[in-house]
Amino acid sequence: MSKAFAVIAGVGPGTGASCARRFASAYPVALLARSPENYEGLVQEINKSGGKAIGISTDVSSEDSVKSAFKKISDEFGGGACAAAVFNASGRFARKPFLEMSVQDFRGSWEVSVQGAVIFSQAALPHLLKHAEDKSAKYPPTLIFTGATASVKANAQMSGFAAPKFALKALSTSLAKEFAPKGVHVAHAVIDGVIDIPRTKDWLKDMPPEAKISADDIAESYWNLHTQSKRCFTNDIDIRPMLEKW
Amino acid sequence: MSKAFAVIAGVGPGTGASCARRFASAYPVALLARSPENYEGLVQEINKSGGKAIGISTDVSSEDSVKSAFKKISDEFGGGACAAAVFNASGRFARKPFLEMSVQDFRGSWEVSVQGAVIFSQAALPHLLKHAEDKSAKYPPTLIFTGATASVKANAQMSGFAAPKFALKALSTSLAKEFAPKGVHVAHAVIDGVIDIPRTKDWLKDMPPEAKISADDIAESYWNLHTQSKRCFTNDIDIRPMLEKW
Amino acid sequence: MSKAFAVIAGVGPGTGASCARRFASAYPVALLARSPENYEGLVQEINKSGGKAIGISTDVSSEDSVKSAFKKISDEFGGGACAAAVFNASGRFARKPFLEMSVQDFRGSWEVSVQGAVIFSQAALPHLLKHAEDKSAKYPPTLIFTGATASVKANAQMSGFAAPKFALKALSTSLAKEFAPKGVHVAHAVIDGVIDIPRTKDWLKDMPPEAKISADDIAESYWNLHTQSKRCFTNDIDIRPMLEKW
Amino acid sequence: MSKAFAVIAGVGPGTGASCARRFASAYPVALLARSPENYEGLVQEINKSGGKAIGISTDVSSEDSVKSAFKKISDEFGGGACAAAVFNASGRFARKPFLEMSVQDFRGSWEVSVQGAVIFSQAALPHLLKHAEDKSAKYPPTLIFTGATASVKANAQMSGFAAPKFALKALSTSLAKEFAPKGVHVAHAVIDGVIDIPRTKDWLKDMPPEAKISADDIAESYWNLHTQSKRCFTNDIDIRPMLEKW
């Protein structure tokens, strides 16, 4: 099998899993997450339903770990061209008074959200560039970063989350400008609202379903970004549910 | 025929015509332009190829003209629900030293780009809201505004274009916030680059095709906005060709 | 008397009056407002306290009215160089559902806030440029526009205010880029909060004084913009009180 | 001596030195820089001319180093209230293709520009808060961050500089919102242009002096931020020379 692959970093029960399913309808997919329980069931599901998926336990903040993951992807899928890479990982954070936040917490959030994005992009881009040279490719290779409200809005007690998210958006824009002329489509999505996943089941409980974002619909929007032609690249989108206040 | 219609204001040879064709694949379309030559051939083309289209000579800066156009649309298409409304009109402008710009020129640009957008939105929204109540509707009703680089960047000698475009973006955001809870999806697109139309044939001549935006691809992106679910509204996108410097 | 003058458009009991007093400490000032009651007492006060002020009843949305005002200023103050021009006028608006807003209301708001700013700038700039050529001038000539929260944030039901304010910001930036190389400093201030004036006396009543902005302090900030050198122009500032939520 | 102090981190021959001189006219100043040669002459100059200054060799990216510096400041100046803290440090970077940038370079830039800002802020804020409680204080305590064009614009091959600078702006906004209600004024300045310092002597050589920013004038603008009252906080300014293209 030498078909171009898709790779999703930060696969959990929400956006990552939905992207995995959506892109698996067109490409073999590699799913990266720190904990195998985040991808194991999904890998099985995709492989059973006619797709092709592998899961790789990966720490995106570590160059060695990501390099090793991409080597494994190349070995498994052959060829080495990447059609789509989605960076969906995010450092943990908890809203807290600035003077109570430890430098280590701040650093840890950045190491996943930003350093992880750099490492992932440096690993994925050679494969995306390879796909850009494939004249038979149906769609331009696409690198997508998942952002949040905090990518454009820095609230009180949220610097540990907002600072990395602002930085990620800057990274995305810089890469979009550098790699578009080489045929790679880089995009950033501000996810502005609560995604409807098991963990958020009890949030906004008294509201109708339109108060939360559907992860499958995010994945569909990412897919639509992927299918844009070289003559129509969207580099920035926002996404929110119908009932979001903003 | 009682099916929901689509309406495109500002139909010319570029984005407007492409949107007309794209949305005509799903809905009867009403094409508004000041000069009938901007829609006549297109109306014929769509009707011949199995779609349904009407053209209406309209001055979007005039309430009477727009009201009359929407009355004609209701009469022709019946029912009155609108699935998609695209505001693609733009006032004329010419880069010139600020002290040489006439107040009348500045005003004329605003009357089409902003006042026109208000008038068009006020005419379309009751029909869009009607569609929002239709439980059998496939996609949420969508109101899309076409912006430009000048929507977010105000260059020297360009205030006559940038001021209305900034205003249009504000209008779009305000409407998005007011009408999303009522089920209407409002979006704004920053078209950042030269669209490949007859008028721009000689621009960027020495560059490959990827230096210009394809109008058909803009229309496809607008269609993708339209198909987003209530749990995943994108309110702002940008669009540029692969070779754009930004 | 041939000293450069300052001119304030939109003089009321708040920012305009405070700017008048502040700039009157250095320049003869011309105060423009539609209604003479907005400047009469202030003109007396300034003239009594050793400054020099004139008031001119002006409709900033009318070219004739503004041209006539500037002719009167030149006649009164002689010379014709303008050291500082502050555009502080703003159209009226009332938050209301978009479908209940009349096009005439929307237009009226724009005519003062944006068309007025264009007319005022076109009248003031020749005088500002004249001052830019005066090698003995202490500070570069300055043109300042007063914006609002709505200059950067378009809320639901506020398009009649936000659209013009976004447009005004675009105008300010465009003029800043065109006229800085000619020595004129153009700046825009986003006033984000309630200004402490008689009309707002009962607002935020249970809050300490730091919940409202001091108009005198806005004027001081405008003065500080004015005193910046050609090697350090600030084009955008925001201003809010200590207790503002944003 | 128990008077409130000012502290400048990132003292070099430009903005830092100018801020040191400007704030030394009102407060004893502590100058932090990694290399003593960056502050030694300046400390002498200030002390000779009637001010009071100390220099402390500090690595802002290290918590221990910054804590030790603030302990030394308290010991030297007594009292412990801080009237103004300026974070002017910036990681090194060199424009280079993304795939040639090492993760270590990216990290190093972030460690100074962002982690350094967090560490510095955590050390300075207790002293700033102490000053906020001093009813005899002339001006509200002020924390200022120096940004760059890259704080709001992420160009190709510049992610190693832009990502940290975007993050720093987010940090500044988040701190502004958290600490304004407690009386601390936090501000961020986008320095958009070349500062006129020995290192840039040969840049823009054929242009007049107005093509570069004067560091003394930046310091004056910072001082003006410092003197704003609690009823008029500016949180964001930009600064550029008259002849800057933007």
Side-chain angles (χ1 to χ4, degrees):
Chain A
M1 184 167 199
S2 68
K3 208 173 151 191
F5 64 87
V7 56
I8 323 284
V11 172
T15 306
S18 293
C19 285
R21 289 187 192 95
R22 185 63 188 86
F23 285 83
S25 72
Y27 307 109
V29 291
L31 313 186
L32 315 188
R34 198 177 301 227
S35 162
E37 70 190 80
N38 273 329
Y39 56 70
E40 280 170 350
L42 186 59
V43 164
Q44 281 196 322
E45 177 198 320
I46 291 172
N47 285 322
K48 267 186 195 161
S49 63
K52 178 152 180 47
I54 56 172
I56 307 169
S57 171
T58 311
D59 171 4
V60 293
S61 69
S62 151
E63 269 193 280
D64 287 347
S65 180
V66 172
K67 279 181 182 170
S68 152
F70 273 82
K71 180 167 184 330
K72 195 164 176 190
I73 295 170
S74 289
D75 291 350
E76 290 277 332
F77 293 152
C82 178
V86 176
F87 184 79
N88 190 54
S90 199
R92 300 220 177 144
F93 76 103
R95 185 182 196 103
K96 71 169 61 171
F98 179 69
L99 292 175
E100 293 171 22
M101 180 184 74
S102 77
V103 173
Q104 195 44 49
D105 278 356
F106 188 82
R107 185 183 186 87
S109 172
W110 176 84
E111 279 175 345
V112 174
S113 294
V114 192
Q115 180 170 300
V118 167
I119 291 171
F120 177 77
S121 300
Q122 288 194 333
L125 274 161
H127 300 275
L128 292 161
L129 289 165
K130 189 167 180 184
H131 194 59
E133 281 163 19
D134 178 356
K135 301 221 161 137
S136 70
K138 192 163 179 192
Y139 306 118
T142 312
L143 172 58
I144 302 177
F145 297 97
T146 299
T149 311
S151 304
V152 291
K153 197 170 175 182
N155 285 334
Q157 304 195 3
M158 291 288 282
S159 64
F161 188 56
K165 286 296 183 193
F166 270 64
L168 181 66
K169 192 170 192 302
L171 174 68
S172 178
T173 300
S174 181
L175 294 181
K177 291 179 182 175
E178 181 174 351
F179 290 96
K182 295 171 182 168
V184 179
H185 178 187
V186 181
H188 180 273
V190 171
I191 309 298
D192 183 21
V194 174
I195 302 176
D196 193 0
I197 52 174
R199 187 169 58 87
T200 62
K201 197 176 47 139
D202 292 336
W203 303 12
L204 306 173
K205 251 182 141 163
D206 303 328
M207 302 275 288
E210 290 81 10
K212 289 184 192 164
I213 305 173
S214 151
D216 283 352
D217 293 343
I218 295 176
E220 190 64 29
S221 294
Y222 283 14
W223 177 258
N224 285 340
L225 287 172
H226 176 53
T227 63
Q228 287 187 309
S229 87
K230 293 178 185 178
R231 309 188 73 197
C232 183
F233 278 174
T234 289
N235 301 111
D236 281 288
I237 63 168
D238 51 7
I239 282 174
R240 52 183 67 83
M242 183 179 119
L243 296 178
E244 186 70 17
K245 292 246 184 283
W246 58 293
Chain B
M1 184 168 199
S2 69
K3 207 174 151 192
F5 64 86
V7 54
I8 324 284
V11 172
T15 306
S18 293
C19 285
R21 287 187 193 97
R22 186 63 187 84
F23 284 83
S25 73
Y27 306 109
V29 291
L31 312 187
L32 315 187
R34 199 178 298 229
S35 162
E37 70 189 79
N38 273 329
Y39 55 71
E40 280 170 350
L42 187 59
V43 165
Q44 281 196 321
E45 178 198 317
I46 290 172
N47 285 321
K48 268 187 195 160
S49 62
K52 180 155 178 45
I54 57 171
I56 307 169
S57 171
T58 312
D59 172 3
V60 292
S61 69
S62 152
E63 269 191 280
D64 286 348
S65 179
V66 172
K67 279 182 182 169
S68 154
F70 273 81
K71 182 170 182 327
K72 196 165 175 190
I73 294 171
S74 289
D75 290 350
E76 290 276 332
F77 292 152
C82 178
V86 177
F87 185 79
N88 190 53
S90 197
R92 301 222 178 143
F93 77 102
R95 185 180 196 104
K96 70 169 61 171
F98 179 70
L99 293 175
E100 293 171 22
M101 180 184 73
S102 77
V103 173
Q104 195 44 52
D105 278 356
F106 187 82
R107 185 184 186 86
S109 171
W110 175 83
E111 280 176 343
V112 174
S113 295
V114 192
Q115 178 170 300
V118 167
I119 292 171
F120 177 77
S121 300
Q122 289 193 333
L125 275 162
H127 300 276
L128 292 160
L129 288 166
K130 189 169 180 184
H131 194 60
E133 283 164 17
D134 178 358
K135 303 221 160 139
S136 70
K138 193 165 177 189
Y139 306 118
T142 312
L143 172 58
I144 302 177
F145 298 97
T146 299
T149 312
S151 305
V152 290
K153 196 170 176 184
N155 284 334
Q157 305 196 2
M158 292 289 282
S159 64
F161 188 57
K165 286 296 183 193
F166 270 64
L168 180 66
K169 191 168 193 305
L171 174 68
S172 178
T173 300
S174 180
L175 294 181
K177 290 178 182 175
E178 181 174 351
F179 291 97
K182 295 171 181 167
V184 180
H185 178 189
V186 180
H188 180 274
V190 171
I191 309 298
D192 183 21
V194 175
I195 303 175
D196 193 0
I197 52 175
R199 186 169 59 87
T200 61
K201 197 177 45 139
D202 292 336
W203 303 11
L204 307 173
K205 252 181 138 164
D206 303 328
M207 302 275 287
E210 289 81 11
K212 289 183 192 165
I213 306 173
S214 151
D216 284 352
D217 293 343
I218 295 176
E220 191 64 29
S221 293
Y222 282 15
W223 177 259
N224 286 340
L225 287 172
H226 175 53
T227 63
Q228 286 186 310
S229 87
K230 292 177 185 179
R231 309 187 74 198
C232 182
F233 278 175
T234 289
N235 300 113
D236 281 288
I237 62 167
D238 52 6
I239 282 174
R240 50 183 67 85
M242 184 179 117
L243 296 178
E244 186 70 17
K245 292 246 184 285
W246 58 293
Chain C
M1 183 167 200
S2 68
K3 207 173 149 191
F5 64 86
V7 55
I8 324 284
V11 172
T15 306
S18 294
C19 285
R21 287 187 193 97
R22 185 64 187 86
F23 285 83
S25 73
Y27 307 109
V29 292
L31 313 187
L32 314 188
R34 199 177 300 227
S35 162
E37 70 190 78
N38 273 329
Y39 55 72
E40 280 169 350
L42 187 58
V43 165
Q44 282 196 320
E45 178 197 320
I46 291 171
N47 285 322
K48 269 186 194 162
S49 63
K52 180 157 178 45
I54 56 171
I56 307 169
S57 171
T58 312
D59 172 3
V60 292
S61 69
S62 152
E63 269 191 281
D64 286 348
S65 179
V66 172
K67 279 182 183 169
S68 153
F70 273 81
K71 182 168 182 331
K72 196 164 175 189
I73 294 171
S74 288
D75 289 350
E76 291 276 331
F77 293 151
C82 178
V86 176
F87 184 80
N88 190 51
S90 198
R92 300 222 177 141
F93 77 101
R95 186 182 196 103
K96 68 170 61 171
F98 179 69
L99 293 175
E100 293 171 21
M101 179 184 74
S102 77
V103 173
Q104 195 45 49
D105 278 356
F106 187 82
R107 185 183 186 85
S109 171
W110 176 85
E111 279 175 345
V112 173
S113 295
V114 192
Q115 179 169 299
V118 167
I119 292 171
F120 177 78
S121 300
Q122 288 194 332
L125 274 161
H127 300 276
L128 292 160
L129 289 166
K130 189 168 180 184
H131 193 61
E133 282 164 18
D134 177 358
K135 302 221 160 138
S136 70
K138 193 164 177 191
Y139 306 118
T142 312
L143 171 58
I144 302 178
F145 298 97
T146 298
T149 311
S151 304
V152 290
K153 196 169 176 184
N155 284 335
Q157 305 195 5
M158 292 290 282
S159 64
F161 188 58
K165 285 296 183 192
F166 270 63
L168 180 66
K169 191 169 192 305
L171 173 68
S172 177
T173 301
S174 179
L175 294 181
K177 291 178 182 175
E178 182 174 351
F179 290 97
K182 295 171 181 167
V184 180
H185 178 188
V186 181
H188 180 274
V190 171
I191 309 298
D192 183 22
V194 174
I195 302 175
D196 193 0
I197 52 175
R199 186 170 59 86
T200 62
K201 196 177 48 139
D202 291 337
W203 303 12
L204 306 173
K205 253 181 138 163
D206 303 329
M207 303 274 288
E210 290 80 11
K212 290 185 191 164
I213 306 172
S214 151
D216 283 352
D217 293 343
I218 295 176
E220 191 64 29
S221 293
Y222 283 15
W223 178 259
N224 285 341
L225 287 171
H226 175 53
T227 62
Q228 286 187 310
S229 87
K230 293 178 184 178
R231 309 188 73 197
C232 183
F233 278 174
T234 289
N235 300 112
D236 282 288
I237 62 167
D238 51 6
I239 282 174
R240 51 183 66 84
M242 184 180 118
L243 296 178
E244 186 70 16
K245 292 245 183 285
W246 57 293
Chain D
M1 183 166 198
S2 68
K3 207 174 152 192
F5 64 86
V7 55
I8 323 284
V11 172
T15 305
S18 294
C19 286
R21 287 187 193 95
R22 186 63 187 84
F23 285 82
S25 73
Y27 306 108
V29 292
L31 313 186
L32 315 188
R34 199 176 300 229
S35 162
E37 68 190 81
N38 273 329
Y39 56 70
E40 280 170 349
L42 187 58
V43 165
Q44 282 197 319
E45 176 197 321
I46 291 171
N47 285 323
K48 269 188 195 161
S49 61
K52 178 154 180 47
I54 56 172
I56 306 168
S57 170
T58 312
D59 171 4
V60 292
S61 69
S62 151
E63 269 191 281
D64 287 347
S65 180
V66 172
K67 279 181 183 170
S68 152
F70 272 81
K71 182 170 181 327
K72 194 162 177 192
I73 295 171
S74 289
D75 290 350
E76 290 277 332
F77 293 152
C82 178
V86 176
F87 185 79
N88 189 53
S90 198
R92 300 221 177 144
F93 76 103
R95 185 181 198 106
K96 69 169 62 170
F98 179 70
L99 293 175
E100 294 170 22
M101 180 183 74
S102 77
V103 173
Q104 195 45 48
D105 278 355
F106 187 82
R107 185 183 187 87
S109 171
W110 176 84
E111 279 175 344
V112 174
S113 295
V114 191
Q115 179 170 299
V118 167
I119 292 170
F120 177 78
S121 300
Q122 289 194 333
L125 275 161
H127 300 275
L128 292 160
L129 288 165
K130 188 167 181 186
H131 194 60
E133 282 163 18
D134 178 357
K135 301 219 161 139
S136 71
K138 193 164 179 192
Y139 306 118
T142 311
L143 171 58
I144 302 177
F145 298 97
T146 298
T149 311
S151 303
V152 291
K153 197 170 177 185
N155 284 333
Q157 304 195 3
M158 291 288 282
S159 64
F161 187 58
K165 285 296 183 192
F166 270 63
L168 180 65
K169 191 171 193 304
L171 174 69
S172 177
T173 300
S174 180
L175 295 180
K177 291 178 182 175
E178 182 174 352
F179 290 95
K182 295 171 183 168
V184 179
H185 178 189
V186 181
H188 180 274
V190 171
I191 309 298
D192 183 21
V194 175
I195 302 174
D196 193 0
I197 51 174
R199 187 170 58 88
T200 62
K201 196 178 48 141
D202 291 336
W203 303 12
L204 307 173
K205 253 183 139 163
D206 303 329
M207 302 275 288
E210 289 82 11
K212 289 185 192 164
I213 305 172
S214 150
D216 284 352
D217 293 344
I218 295 176
E220 190 64 29
S221 294
Y222 283 15
W223 177 258
N224 286 340
L225 287 171
H226 175 54
T227 62
Q228 287 186 309
S229 87
K230 292 178 185 179
R231 308 188 74 197
C232 183
F233 278 175
T234 288
N235 300 112
D236 282 288
I237 63 166
D238 52 7
I239 282 174
R240 50 183 69 83
M242 184 179 117
L243 296 177
E244 187 69 18
K245 293 248 184 280
W246 58 294

